[in-house]
Amino acid sequence: MCGAFGYTKERGKAHFEKRFMLERFPEHDWHSYNIRPTQESYVIVRKSPNKAIKLQFGIPAPWDEKHLLINAQSETVAEKRSFAKMFRESRCLVVADVFYEWKRLSDGKQPYAFSLKNDEVFSFAGIHNDEGFIILTTKPNALMEDVHNRMPVILHPVDEDVWLNPDTEMEHLQNTFRPYPAQEMKRWAISSLVSKSSNNFPEILKPVREI
Protein backbone atom coordinates (compact mmCIF):
# COMPACT_ATOMS: atom_id res chain seq x y z
CA MET A 1 0.00 0.00 0.00
CA CYS A 2 1.05 3.60 -0.50
CA GLY A 3 -1.18 6.17 1.15
CA ALA A 4 1.20 9.03 1.88
CA PHE A 5 4.19 10.54 0.10
CA GLY A 6 5.89 13.84 -0.61
CA TYR A 7 8.41 15.75 -2.68
CA THR A 8 10.33 17.70 -0.15
CA LYS A 9 13.58 19.03 -1.61
CA GLU A 10 13.80 22.50 -3.15
CA ARG A 11 15.18 21.40 -6.52
CA GLY A 12 13.61 24.05 -8.72
CA LYS A 13 11.54 23.79 -11.88
CA ALA A 14 14.57 23.47 -14.18
CA HIS A 15 15.54 20.23 -12.41
CA PHE A 16 12.09 18.71 -12.96
CA GLU A 17 11.94 19.83 -16.57
CA LYS A 18 15.26 18.14 -17.32
CA ARG A 19 14.62 15.06 -15.16
CA PHE A 20 11.26 14.25 -16.73
CA MET A 21 11.77 15.79 -20.18
CA LEU A 22 9.06 18.39 -19.64
CA GLU A 23 8.32 21.44 -21.69
CA ARG A 24 7.67 23.29 -18.46
CA PHE A 25 7.00 22.54 -14.81
CA PRO A 26 4.78 24.88 -12.74
CA GLU A 27 6.65 27.73 -11.06
CA HIS A 28 4.82 27.46 -7.76
CA ASP A 29 2.76 25.20 -5.51
CA TRP A 30 4.58 21.92 -6.11
CA HIS A 31 6.46 21.44 -2.84
CA SER A 32 4.80 19.23 -0.18
CA TYR A 33 5.92 17.01 2.70
CA ASN A 34 2.74 15.01 3.27
CA ILE A 35 0.47 14.26 0.30
CA ARG A 36 -2.57 12.21 1.26
CA PRO A 37 -5.71 10.89 -0.45
CA THR A 38 -8.10 13.67 -1.60
CA GLN A 39 -5.17 16.10 -1.86
CA GLU A 40 -3.82 17.21 -5.23
CA SER A 41 -0.36 16.47 -6.57
CA TYR A 42 1.49 16.65 -9.88
CA VAL A 43 1.66 13.68 -12.20
CA ILE A 44 3.37 13.46 -15.58
CA VAL A 45 1.35 12.21 -18.52
CA ARG A 46 2.34 11.25 -22.03
CA LYS A 47 1.99 14.28 -24.27
CA SER A 48 4.33 15.67 -26.89
CA PRO A 49 6.35 16.69 -24.98
CA ASN A 50 5.55 15.16 -21.56
CA LYS A 51 3.26 17.33 -19.47
CA ALA A 52 2.80 17.84 -15.72
CA ILE A 53 -0.81 18.08 -14.57
CA LYS A 54 -2.35 18.39 -11.13
CA LEU A 55 -4.79 15.69 -10.02
CA GLN A 56 -6.36 14.39 -6.84
CA PHE A 57 -4.69 11.45 -5.13
CA GLY A 58 -7.42 8.84 -5.35
CA ILE A 59 -10.35 8.04 -7.61
CA PRO A 60 -13.96 7.47 -6.46
CA ALA A 61 -14.91 3.81 -6.70
CA PRO A 62 -17.45 3.04 -9.45
CA TRP A 63 -19.68 1.20 -6.96
CA ASP A 64 -19.50 3.88 -4.22
CA GLU A 65 -18.35 7.45 -4.86
CA LYS A 66 -17.70 7.93 -1.14
CA HIS A 67 -15.04 5.20 -1.29
CA LEU A 68 -11.70 6.41 -2.68
CA LEU A 69 -9.42 4.02 -4.57
CA ILE A 70 -5.77 5.00 -4.02
CA ASN A 71 -3.80 1.86 -4.94
CA ALA A 72 -4.02 -0.95 -7.48
CA GLN A 73 -2.08 -4.22 -7.38
CA SER A 74 0.27 -4.36 -10.36
CA GLU A 75 -0.24 -8.10 -10.70
CA THR A 76 -3.96 -7.71 -11.53
CA VAL A 77 -4.34 -4.11 -12.72
CA ALA A 78 -4.75 -5.13 -16.36
CA GLU A 79 -7.63 -7.47 -15.49
CA LYS A 80 -9.70 -5.44 -13.01
CA ARG A 81 -12.71 -3.71 -14.52
CA SER A 82 -12.11 -0.60 -12.41
CA PHE A 83 -8.52 -0.17 -13.65
CA ALA A 84 -8.08 -1.91 -17.01
CA LYS A 85 -9.01 1.02 -19.27
CA MET A 86 -6.79 3.46 -17.33
CA PHE A 87 -3.97 0.95 -17.41
CA ARG A 88 -4.22 0.62 -21.18
CA GLU A 89 -4.74 4.27 -22.04
CA SER A 90 -3.85 6.58 -19.13
CA ARG A 91 -0.61 5.65 -17.40
CA CYS A 92 1.28 8.38 -15.54
CA LEU A 93 4.33 9.09 -13.39
CA VAL A 94 3.66 10.23 -9.82
CA VAL A 95 6.51 12.50 -8.75
CA ALA A 96 7.97 11.95 -5.25
CA ASP A 97 11.17 11.83 -3.24
CA VAL A 98 9.80 10.15 -0.08
CA PHE A 99 6.91 7.93 0.96
CA TYR A 100 5.61 6.77 4.32
CA GLU A 101 4.42 3.50 5.76
CA TRP A 102 3.28 2.40 9.22
CA LYS A 103 4.44 -0.78 10.95
CA ARG A 104 1.82 -2.40 13.17
CA LEU A 105 3.03 -3.07 16.71
CA SER A 106 1.32 -4.66 19.69
CA ASP A 107 0.72 -1.24 21.25
CA GLY A 108 0.38 1.02 18.22
CA LYS A 109 2.10 1.89 14.96
CA GLN A 110 5.62 3.05 14.07
CA PRO A 111 5.77 5.29 10.99
CA TYR A 112 8.75 5.10 8.64
CA ALA A 113 9.99 7.28 5.82
CA PHE A 114 11.43 5.64 2.71
CA SER A 115 13.55 7.28 0.02
CA LEU A 116 16.39 6.61 -2.39
CA LYS A 117 19.85 6.56 -0.84
CA ASN A 118 20.94 9.43 -3.06
CA ASP A 119 17.87 11.51 -2.04
CA GLU A 120 17.00 12.02 -5.70
CA VAL A 121 13.48 12.49 -7.00
CA PHE A 122 11.78 9.36 -8.35
CA SER A 123 8.43 8.33 -9.80
CA PHE A 124 5.74 5.83 -8.89
CA ALA A 125 3.92 3.96 -11.63
CA GLY A 126 0.45 5.47 -11.72
CA ILE A 127 -2.79 5.40 -13.68
CA HIS A 128 -5.30 8.22 -13.91
CA ASN A 129 -8.56 9.58 -15.23
CA ASP A 130 -10.11 13.05 -15.12
CA GLU A 131 -10.97 12.64 -11.43
CA GLY A 132 -7.60 11.62 -10.01
CA PHE A 133 -4.73 9.13 -9.96
CA ILE A 134 -3.87 5.80 -8.38
CA ILE A 135 -0.45 4.41 -7.42
CA LEU A 136 0.39 0.82 -8.35
CA THR A 137 1.85 -1.53 -5.75
CA THR A 138 4.00 -4.64 -5.84
CA LYS A 139 5.46 -7.16 -3.41
CA PRO A 140 7.86 -5.67 -0.83
CA ASN A 141 11.65 -5.64 -1.04
CA ALA A 142 13.86 -6.58 1.91
CA LEU A 143 13.77 -3.05 3.30
CA MET A 144 9.97 -2.97 3.35
CA GLU A 145 8.88 -6.52 4.11
CA ASP A 146 8.94 -6.25 7.92
CA VAL A 147 6.93 -3.02 7.76
CA HIS A 148 4.24 -3.83 5.18
CA ASN A 149 3.38 -6.61 2.74
CA ARG A 150 3.14 -4.21 -0.25
CA MET A 151 5.20 -1.33 -1.57
CA PRO A 152 4.67 1.21 -4.36
CA VAL A 153 6.04 0.44 -7.82
CA ILE A 154 9.04 2.77 -8.09
CA LEU A 155 10.20 3.10 -11.68
CA HIS A 156 13.82 3.22 -12.72
CA PRO A 157 14.46 6.32 -14.87
CA VAL A 158 15.09 4.10 -17.90
CA ASP A 159 11.62 2.57 -17.44
CA GLU A 160 9.69 5.83 -17.20
CA ASP A 161 9.32 6.32 -20.94
CA VAL A 162 8.47 2.62 -21.28
CA TRP A 163 5.66 3.16 -18.77
CA LEU A 164 4.30 6.29 -20.45
CA ASN A 165 4.56 5.02 -24.01
CA PRO A 166 1.10 3.84 -25.19
CA ASP A 167 2.73 1.39 -27.60
CA THR A 168 4.67 -0.55 -24.95
CA GLU A 169 3.79 -4.25 -24.96
CA MET A 170 2.35 -5.89 -21.85
CA GLU A 171 5.44 -8.01 -21.27
CA HIS A 172 7.62 -4.91 -21.02
CA LEU A 173 5.13 -3.17 -18.74
CA GLN A 174 5.11 -6.14 -16.40
CA ASN A 175 8.91 -5.99 -16.18
CA THR A 176 8.58 -2.58 -14.51
CA PHE A 177 6.59 -4.06 -11.62
CA ARG A 178 9.56 -5.65 -9.89
CA PRO A 179 10.32 -4.30 -6.40
CA TYR A 180 12.88 -1.51 -6.39
CA PRO A 181 16.29 -2.78 -5.15
CA ALA A 182 16.50 -2.51 -1.36
CA GLN A 183 20.22 -1.69 -1.51
CA GLU A 184 19.40 1.53 -3.39
CA MET A 185 16.93 2.71 -0.77
CA LYS A 186 16.96 3.81 2.86
CA ARG A 187 14.42 4.04 5.64
CA TRP A 188 14.23 5.73 9.00
CA ALA A 189 11.73 5.84 11.85
CA ILE A 190 9.82 9.11 12.21
CA SER A 191 7.32 10.49 14.70
CA SER A 192 3.54 10.28 14.59
CA LEU A 193 3.44 13.84 13.27
CA VAL A 194 3.20 12.35 9.79
CA SER A 195 -0.04 10.58 10.72
CA LYS A 196 -1.98 13.84 10.71
CA SER A 197 -2.60 14.86 7.12
CA SER A 198 -2.61 18.58 7.93
CA ASN A 199 1.00 18.37 9.15
CA ASN A 200 3.02 19.52 6.16
CA PHE A 201 6.40 20.73 7.35
CA PRO A 202 10.03 19.48 7.51
CA GLU A 203 9.80 18.25 11.10
CA ILE A 204 7.79 15.20 10.08
CA LEU A 205 10.94 13.83 8.42
CA LYS A 206 13.07 14.10 11.58
CA PRO A 207 14.48 10.69 12.59
CA VAL A 208 13.39 9.25 15.95
CA ARG A 209 14.30 6.15 17.89
CA GLU A 210 12.18 3.16 16.88
CA ILE A 211 9.49 2.09 19.31
Side-chain angles (χ1 to χ4, degrees):
M1 182 173 178
C2 180
F5 65 96
Y7 40 100
T8 64
K9 303 290 191 304
E10 291 282 5
R11 296 180 174 90
K13 66 185 293 289
H15 178 91
F16 282 90
E17 289 170 349
K18 181 178 179 181
R19 170 65 177 76
F20 294 105
M21 297 180 290
L22 302 176
E23 182 179 60
R24 60 183 181 276
F25 196 81
E27 292 275 5
H28 307 291
D29 195 29
W30 56 269
H31 186 250
S32 183
Y33 290 91
N34 195 2
I35 300 165
R36 308 294 285 273
T38 73
Q39 297 178 357
E40 291 187 329
S41 186
Y42 282 107
V43 301
I44 296 167
V45 298
R46 179 71 174 215
K47 297 287 185 178
S48 184
N50 292 346
K51 182 180 180 182
I53 62 173
K54 206 169 192 180
L55 290 174
Q56 173 184 269
F57 180 20
I59 295 173
W63 60 89
D64 182 359
E65 290 189 355
K66 295 181 180 179
H67 180 70
L68 206 63
L69 303 176
I70 63 170
N71 292 147
Q73 293 190 359
S74 58
E75 297 91 338
T76 59
V77 66
E79 306 160 10
K80 297 287 186 179
R81 183 179 301 177
S82 301
F83 306 131
K85 186 175 187 294
M86 288 185 284
F87 176 69
R88 290 194 309 270
E89 302 176 4
S90 303
R91 297 187 294 273
C92 64
L93 307 178
V94 182
V95 180
D97 61 21
V98 66
F99 68 94
Y100 309 106
E101 193 54 79
W102 287 256
K103 181 178 183 178
R104 292 185 181 275
L105 305 172
S106 59
D107 56 350
K109 294 181 180 180
Q110 171 66 66
Y112 288 89
F114 294 81
S115 71
L116 302 187
K117 279 187 175 179
N118 62 8
D119 292 319
E120 185 52 271
V121 67
F122 55 84
S123 65
F124 301 126
I127 55 177
H128 74 95
N129 62 19
D130 292 339
E131 296 181 277
F133 68 88
I134 288 173
I135 294 172
L136 271 60
T137 65
T138 187
K139 60 186 180 181
N141 63 19
L143 194 68
M144 172 66 73
E145 61 186 1
D146 69 324
V147 176
H148 200 277
N149 64 356
R150 303 292 293 177
M151 70 177 292
V153 175
I154 300 174
L155 296 170
H156 292 267
V158 295
D159 290 330
E160 290 171 348
D161 192 59
V162 171
W163 180 250
L164 290 181
N165 192 329
D167 298 324
T168 299
E169 296 180 358
M170 177 63 69
E171 179 183 355
H172 293 153
L173 291 174
Q174 290 173 337
N175 287 338
T176 68
F177 296 156
R178 58 193 181 277
Y180 203 85
Q183 63 271 21
E184 296 180 25
M185 297 178 64
K186 61 183 177 180
R187 82 178 195 192
W188 63 101
I190 55 178
S191 77
S192 59
L193 283 172
V194 72
S195 300
K196 189 174 182 180
S197 60
S198 59
N199 288 341
N200 191 1
F201 40 73
E203 287 75 17
I204 65 174
L205 288 169
K206 184 177 180 180
V208 300
R209 189 167 67 176
E210 297 185 30
I211 298 173

